């Protein structure tokens, strides 16, 4: 009977240690890029955004409405802070009807950026989001 409290305490301590040592969720791994031309196209889009020279004709009307000039400028500042344009790593590719949706990681110093970009009809960008990972 005396050993019961000691055994109970030991098992609680071991359970707490096991809980504390659970692995931290890692960033998603990149996947094989079977469309290097699209990746180069996205790289060109990001370079244009960084130089604040993305032609409005590259965006659909919905994308234009969702991307005010101030937000595009902020994206350009974030990309320029990386120094050299980072090499993109494809994380995800999906399709929904005619819409092709991609997520890339852009290593940028100590804080990688995620690039979410959708292409619709006529290869026009229907969504462009740049955020810290």
């Amino acid at each position: 009977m005396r050993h019961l409290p000691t055994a109970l305490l030991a098992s609680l301590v071991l359970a707490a240690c096991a809980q504390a040592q659970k692995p931290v969720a890692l960033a998603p791994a990149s996947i094989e890029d079977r469309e290097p031309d699209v990746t180069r196209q996205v790289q060109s889009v990001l370079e244009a955004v960084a130089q604040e020279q993305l032609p409005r004709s590259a965006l659909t009307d919905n994308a234009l409405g969702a991307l005010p000039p101030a937000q595009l400028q902020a994206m350009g500042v974030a990309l320029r802070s990386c120094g050299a344009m980072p090499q993109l790593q494809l994380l995800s590719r999906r399709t929904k009807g005619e819409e092709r949706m991609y997520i890339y990681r852009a290593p940028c110093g100590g804080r990688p950026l995620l690039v979410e970009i959708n292409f619709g009809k006529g290869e026009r960008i229907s969504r462009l989001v740049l955020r810290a990972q």
Side-chain angles (χ1 to χ4, degrees):
M1 285 276 214
R2 264 186 170 175
H3 298 290
L4 185 59
T6 305
L8 182 59
L9 182 60
S11 65
L12 288 173
V13 169
L14 287 175
C17 287
Q19 185 74 14
Q21 293 180 359
K22 280 189 175 179
V24 176
L26 299 175
S30 60
I31 61 173
E32 182 182 356
D33 190 351
R34 296 183 182 183
E35 296 177 286
D37 291 340
V38 172
T39 302
R40 281 190 289 277
Q41 181 181 4
V42 173
Q43 190 86 29
S44 295
V45 166
L46 294 179
E47 288 170 0
V49 169
Q51 298 168 5
E52 297 183 22
Q53 297 180 353
L54 182 66
R56 298 179 66 77
S57 62
L59 302 167
T60 64
D61 292 340
N62 288 341
L64 283 170
L67 281 173
Q71 188 173 352
L72 275 172
Q73 288 174 341
M75 285 182 185
V77 169
L79 289 167
R80 286 191 301 275
S81 74
C82 297
M85 188 56 63
Q87 291 298 312
L88 298 176
Q89 302 165 352
L90 180 61
L91 301 179
S92 169
R93 182 200 187 280
R94 301 182 304 133
T95 58
K96 184 176 181 182
E98 294 182 1
E99 191 91 356
R100 294 176 296 132
M101 300 165 270
Y102 301 88
I103 300 176
Y104 289 92
R105 178 179 22 246
C108 179
R111 59 172 183 75
L113 300 173
L114 289 181
V115 179
E116 299 177 28
I117 189 166
N118 296 4
F119 292 99
K121 289 183 180 182
E123 296 297 310
R124 292 178 69 199
I125 300 165
S126 58
R127 181 170 187 259
L128 178 60
V129 175
L130 182 69
R131 61 185 171 89
Q133 181 172 355

